[in-house]
Amino acid sequence: MDIIELERVAREIRLRDLQAVFEAGAGHIGGEMSVIDILTALYFRVLNVWPDQAKHPDRDRFVLSKGHTACALYVTLAKRGFIPEEEISTFLQPHSRLNGHPNCNKVPGVETNTGPLGHGLPVAVGMAKAAKLSGAKYQTYVITGDGEMQEGSNWEALMAAAQFGLDNLTLIVDHNRFQQGASLADTNNVAPLRPKLEAFGWDVTEINGNSMDEIVPALEYRGSRPHGIVAHTNKGHGISFMQDRVDWHHKVPSKEQYDIAVAELSEAL
C-alpha cells in the first residue's frame, strides 16, 4: 500500500477499535490510538506474512510487547485477514478468544503471549537470534511502550541484541509520554531514549510515530546493527478529548463521548 492508502486503513482501524472498546466497556484506548499507525504500516506494508498460513516458517515475526493494547492488534489482524472481522464484536466477551491480552494459542497471527511488561523485547531477541542460528531470512519487530522501558529486562535484551549483532531485529518504542496513572516524566523518566539506545550499540531513528511518511521508511530501514525506532506519538491520537490525557489509558467513553469520537474519526475518512 502507498502512504495515502495506509492512512485510510489506519483511520478505519481506529473507528473499529473505538467501537469495540465502547461495546465491551473496557480496553486501553489511549495507547491503542497512539500505536495504530505503526501497526497499520507493519501489517499492510512491511511484514511478510500470509493470513492463510499464519505459521509459515518464512514469515516475519511481530511481538506486541505492550499487550494491553490487544484490541488494536485484533482489529488489524482482522482487517488483514487473519481472523473474521465480525469476530471483533466478541472482544472481552465470555468464551471469546479475543482476551484483554493477546494469546498465541488462540489467535492466528499472534506470535507470543504478552501483557507482563518487559517480556516482549527479550522474546523478540530470542526470535531474531534463532533466525541467525538457523539461517532463516525473516525479520523480527517488537513494539514496547515508553513506560515499559523502565523494566530492567529490556536493557539486558538491548545489550544481548547488540552483542549478537542482530541486524534482523527492529524495536519500536511507542513514546506517547504517558503510562498507567501518570506521565512518564513524573514516574521514572527514561527519556531521552535515543542516546540511551545508541549507547547500547543500536542504530536509532527518531520519528513522528503518527505520520506514515516517517513510519514507513523507518520500518523499512536495514543496517548492520539492531535498529531502534523512537516513535513520538500522542496518547488518544485522533480524538480531541482523549489526546495526551493520562486518564484515557483505560477509561471507556460515555455514549456522548463515543458519538463525538466517531464524528471526529469519520470526518478524517
Side-chain angles (χ1 to χ4, degrees):
M1 286 190 179
D2 62 22
I3 299 298
I4 293 175
E5 290 174 311
L6 290 170
E7 290 173 341
R8 173 185 56 79
V9 171
R11 289 191 290 268
E12 292 173 353
I13 291 173
R14 277 195 171 86
L15 265 171
R16 189 64 188 91
D17 182 272
L18 168 69
Q19 180 186 358
V21 170
F22 174 70
E23 291 176 349
H28 290 83
I29 196 166
E32 286 158 14
M33 293 295 145
S34 69
V35 82
I36 281 172
D37 295 303
I38 298 165
L39 289 173
T40 302
L42 281 166
Y43 277 93
F44 290 88
R45 170 76 176 241
V46 177
L47 293 176
N48 288 316
V49 290
W50 300 272
D52 59 339
Q53 300 180 71
K55 292 296 186 182
H56 193 291
D58 296 331
R59 73 193 184 280
D60 288 336
R61 271 59 165 177
F62 168 68
V63 176
L64 181 67
S65 190
K66 46 177 287 180
H68 53 284
T69 59
C71 189
L73 177 60
Y74 298 148
V75 175
T76 304
L77 288 173
K79 199 160 190 66
R80 188 66 173 81
F82 282 90
I83 59 176
E85 291 200 56
E86 57 269 22
E87 189 174 355
I88 298 300
S89 63
T90 72
F91 175 59
L92 294 182
Q93 298 305 306
H95 309 297
S96 172
R97 60 180 176 172
L98 305 185
N99 299 324
H101 294 89
N103 188 326
C104 66
N105 298 310
K106 295 182 178 181
V107 184
V110 174
E111 291 291 344
T112 187
N113 295 11
T114 55
L117 299 179
H119 289 195
L121 179 55
V123 170
V125 168
M127 291 174 173
K129 179 62 173 173
K132 290 291 188 182
L133 290 171
S134 65
K137 301 301 181 185
Y138 65 80
Q139 301 287 320
T140 299
Y141 301 82
V142 55
I143 295 178
T144 71
D146 50 4
E148 182 179 0
M149 293 303 292
Q150 296 161 356
E151 295 280 1
S153 51
N154 284 319
W155 299 94
E156 295 177 24
L158 288 165
M159 284 189 286
Q163 174 70 27
F164 297 146
L166 300 183
D167 57 357
N168 57 348
L169 175 65
T170 298
L171 161 68
I172 307 105
V173 181
D174 181 18
H175 193 8
N176 63 28
R177 308 177 309 284
F178 292 94
Q179 57 195 99
Q180 180 175 320
S183 69
L184 188 73
D186 291 337
T187 308
N188 183 9
N189 197 2
V190 294
L193 284 160
R194 180 172 193 157
K196 294 179 177 66
L197 296 178
E198 289 175 336
F200 275 66
W202 284 54
D203 286 338
V204 183
T205 305
E206 203 157 3
I207 64 168
N208 176 348
N210 295 128
S211 169
M212 284 296 177
D213 286 326
E214 298 186 30
I215 294 169
V216 169
L219 290 174
E220 292 180 340
Y221 170 83
R222 295 289 178 269
S224 58
R225 299 190 292 176
H227 183 215
I229 300 172
V230 179
H232 294 272
T233 62
N234 299 306
K235 202 163 187 113
H237 183 79
I239 302 172
S240 60
F241 61 86
M242 291 187 190
Q243 188 158 311
D244 296 335
R245 293 283 304 274
V246 68
D247 50 330
W248 286 102
H249 181 79
H250 46 46
K251 188 176 176 181
V252 177
S254 65
K255 180 60 168 65
E256 181 182 1
Q257 290 170 324
Y258 172 73
D259 290 340
I260 293 170
V262 167
E264 290 183 358
L265 293 175
S266 299
E267 186 178 352
L269 284 173

